[in-house]
Amino acid sequence: SAGHMVLLLPGQEQHYEYFRSEDPHVYWVHFTGSDVPHILDKYDIPKAEPYFLCGEQGAYEKLFTEMIKELQTCRTGYRDLLAMYMQQILLLIQRTRLEQQVITSTCIQKEIESACKYFAEHYNHPINIEEYAQSCGISVSWFQRNFKQITSQTPLQYLITCRINNAASLLQTTDYNITEISAIVGYDNPLYFSRLFHKLKGMSPSAYKKLVTQNR
């Protein structure tokens, strides 16, 4: 689609077609040399991807047009000018891709922060991770992968941590018994709650309550 570039490496077959109804503007530039792999790496051009987004900037069209003029006239120094124009194109690609990555990273950060806030506020209610992701219009795998990358925990681990930390706070500040606290933080099964608590805190809820009571 518009705003994309295709990188064809040596030896790759080329089959393409255009649709006149779309009124396409397509530009090609051929460059070669032993230093090409280094140049592509320098400007973060993805060699493994057949095509990538570069943005619909008028600057690209202007640079390609200037390259065509230089090739048609072959005036003094045209080869150096072609190299400069090519470098500008690569720089524009690099800038667009880096800025796009920042935008994407910011969107991911906001999505995960929103999820963390939701879990922290609703930890004591039944929460289905798959249903939550679907309600946000995102795939479950995408949500789980990015959530863990940002928080170092899976969504379920994060939710459990919220519940157990709040249970620990209740054990310190209230006189509720273990069964009551288990229900308050969202677990109908006190035995299951106690197992999770011991796993995260290194001791049973009753032992934890006894410890904090002694230290008051």
Side-chain angles (χ1 to χ4, degrees):
S1 60
H4 280 79
M5 283 193 182
V6 181
L7 176 67
L8 294 169
L9 299 174
Q12 286 186 302
E13 290 189 25
Q14 304 176 31
H15 301 279
Y16 53 90
E17 59 186 20
Y18 307 123
F19 297 94
R20 183 174 296 178
S21 60
E22 297 180 0
D23 190 28
H25 290 256
V26 181
Y27 295 90
W28 290 87
V29 60
H30 173 263
F31 62 104
T32 187
S34 60
D35 204 33
V36 166
H38 172 71
I39 292 172
L40 295 177
D41 289 338
K42 177 182 177 181
Y43 295 103
D44 303 312
I45 307 300
K47 297 187 289 294
E49 300 176 31
Y51 61 90
F52 52 88
L53 183 66
C54 63
E56 296 181 65
Q57 298 188 37
Y60 287 120
E61 185 173 4
K62 182 179 179 180
L63 287 167
F64 279 120
T65 300
E66 290 299 322
M67 293 177 81
I68 292 170
K69 288 181 181 178
E70 290 298 325
L71 283 167
Q72 288 174 337
T73 59
C74 295
R75 296 168 63 188
T76 303
Y78 80 97
R79 291 181 182 275
D80 291 335
L81 277 174
L82 286 172
M84 290 174 60
Y85 291 143
M86 187 64 198
Q87 184 181 37
Q88 289 182 60
I89 290 173
L90 295 173
L91 278 168
L92 282 176
I93 295 172
Q94 183 185 46
R95 174 189 290 176
T96 301
R97 286 173 55 79
L98 288 174
E99 290 176 348
Q100 184 64 36
Q101 289 174 8
V102 171
I103 292 172
T104 301
S105 178
T106 301
C107 291
I108 292 173
Q109 186 74 31
K110 288 182 178 179
E111 192 72 57
I112 302 308
E113 286 178 356
S114 178
C116 289
K117 181 181 179 182
Y118 180 85
F119 292 163
E121 293 176 350
H122 300 85
Y123 68 89
N124 56 335
H125 297 288
I127 296 178
N128 183 290
I129 303 302
E130 289 75 14
E131 290 178 358
Y132 174 83
Q134 292 169 3
S135 70
C136 296
I138 54 181
S139 73
V140 178
S141 60
W142 182 94
F143 177 60
Q144 292 178 328
R145 180 177 66 255
N146 285 287
F147 193 99
K148 185 169 185 179
Q149 183 175 359
I150 291 175
T151 67
S152 299
Q153 291 181 301
T154 66
L156 182 58
Q157 289 170 338
Y158 186 90
L159 180 58
I160 291 172
T161 300
C162 285
R163 289 172 171 169
I164 299 305
N165 284 342
N166 277 278
S169 178
L170 290 171
L171 288 168
Q172 293 181 52
T173 59
T174 72
D175 292 324
Y176 291 125
N177 61 41
I178 306 303
T179 300
E180 290 172 328
I181 290 177
S182 173
I184 290 172
V185 299
Y187 294 109
D188 295 331
N189 188 331
L191 180 60
Y192 179 64
F193 161 72
S194 295
R195 289 174 179 171
L196 289 175
F197 192 98
H198 190 282
K199 184 176 181 180
L200 266 68
K201 299 298 184 181
M203 64 182 73
S204 67
S206 57
Y208 184 88
K209 187 174 183 64
K210 182 178 180 180
L211 178 65
V212 296
T213 301
Q214 291 175 346
N215 293 332
R216 282 180 182 174

